[in-house]
Amino acid sequence: MNLKQIAQQAMDYLDSVGVAADYEIKVSSYGIRKLTVFTDYYDMGMPSNAPESTGEYFIGKIKKYYPQKSPAK
């Protein structure tokens, strides 16, 4: 999965839990691409050369900060 696909997955998930978010993908001076997801409370980043760059770890981190809400009883 590339950074753009991971970003889209993050945006879809955050939208599903009602969290406004945006993202950017930048290239560092060393040529490393980095995805950053911005919400009102957190900025979460993932460089493309990270061992967990498949996106599963990054999406899991987002889900930890913004879990699915249980339906009201």
Side-chain angles (χ1 to χ4, degrees):
M1 199 179 318
N2 65 39
L3 291 181
K4 179 94 171 148
Q5 292 168 323
I6 294 167
Q8 188 57 55
Q9 187 177 354
M11 295 297 104
D12 291 345
Y13 176 78
L14 288 166
D15 187 51
S16 77
V17 295
V19 175
D22 201 1
Y23 75 92
E24 71 179 10
I25 297 172
K26 285 189 170 182
V27 179
S28 75
S29 58
Y30 298 106
I32 298 170
R33 293 166 39 103
K34 181 181 179 187
L35 164 64
T36 305
V37 173
F38 304 96
T39 67
D40 288 341
Y41 298 104
Y42 300 104
D43 295 348
M44 295 165 271
M46 183 187 93
S48 61
N49 66 342
E52 62 276 355
S53 63
T54 60
E56 292 174 23
Y57 176 82
F58 187 68
I59 298 298
K61 188 165 71 167
I62 291 171
K63 288 180 177 182
K64 179 181 173 188
Y65 288 111
Y66 297 102
Q68 290 280 349
K69 296 181 176 118
S70 298
K73 293 183 180 183

